[in-house]
Amino acid sequence: MFALTVSFSDLSKNSKRVVDTVERAQRVQVTRRDGENLYLTTEHHDRQREETADVTARLFTALIGNDEGARAVLLALPEVFPWSRHLSADEIREFLADLVNATRDVAELDIHSHLHRVIVEWRATARILADPELTAALTAPLPDEDHGEVYAP
């Protein structure tokens, strides 16, 4: 995604000009030397982004609500996530459920990190499954040491 860029010092020295730029461009990246870059945006642009997330979540939810729509989404997953071909059919269904729920969290709760985490974790699972040696190493029985019962967090 393209955004105009200004430095943090430019923002502090020429705030009126930067604000005018934000109003024209709707989104401007503010670069900083001492921290993560920031984005300035207009309220209107932010509301549009929220609406986009909401529409996407509702569309996903509606599609998986019936067999034909769910089948269409399942067929589209390898196009969107090529690594998903390494997942089993059950894992694909679980990934899709996690993806839809995380997308709904973006729209309903404004929690974007959950969607990112779902994608990163499932991609890591696919990466392991794509490598037979790594899969074997990670699924091999552990030594006979018994460390007791593991409780759910």
Side-chain angles (χ1 to χ4, degrees):
M1 175 177 293
F2 175 75
L4 295 175
T5 303
V6 299
S7 67
F8 189 81
S9 60
D10 194 26
L11 172 62
S12 63
K13 292 176 186 173
N14 303 299
S15 59
K16 170 104 174 80
R17 186 177 57 75
V18 172
V19 168
D20 289 344
T21 302
V22 172
E23 288 177 345
R24 279 193 319 278
Q26 296 188 13
R27 188 170 191 237
V28 173
Q29 182 181 37
V30 179
T31 58
R32 301 186 315 162
R33 286 184 294 227
D34 61 344
E36 188 174 4
N37 292 344
L38 307 172
Y39 280 96
L40 293 177
T41 188
T42 62
E43 182 180 4
H44 176 74
H45 184 67
D46 192 55
R47 278 195 314 267
Q48 288 177 330
R49 291 171 65 92
E50 288 175 0
E51 183 178 359
T52 299
D54 184 55
V55 167
T56 302
R58 290 175 188 272
L59 182 61
F60 255 148
T61 302
L63 280 170
I64 66 162
N66 65 66
D67 289 343
E68 190 175 317
R71 208 172 1 265
V73 172
L74 287 170
L75 290 173
L77 275 182
E79 283 292 316
V80 179
F81 304 103
W83 46 261
S84 68
R85 71 185 185 279
H86 297 287
L87 303 175
S88 70
D90 286 342
E91 289 165 334
I92 288 282
R93 284 190 289 280
E94 188 177 345
F95 170 51
L96 180 57
D98 288 350
L99 188 64
V100 170
N101 288 333
T103 303
R104 291 177 72 186
D105 287 347
V106 169
E108 296 171 10
L109 305 172
D110 198 26
I111 300 174
H112 298 257
S113 59
H114 185 204
L115 177 59
H116 175 73
R117 188 179 73 243
V118 163
I119 294 168
V120 167
E121 288 174 355
W122 277 106
R123 184 175 40 229
T125 299
R127 185 176 294 129
I128 291 167
L129 295 172
D131 182 343
E133 289 179 20
L134 186 55
T135 300
L138 293 175
T139 57
L142 294 174
D144 290 333
E145 299 174 24
D146 185 356
H147 297 281
E149 185 176 349
V150 177
Y151 299 98

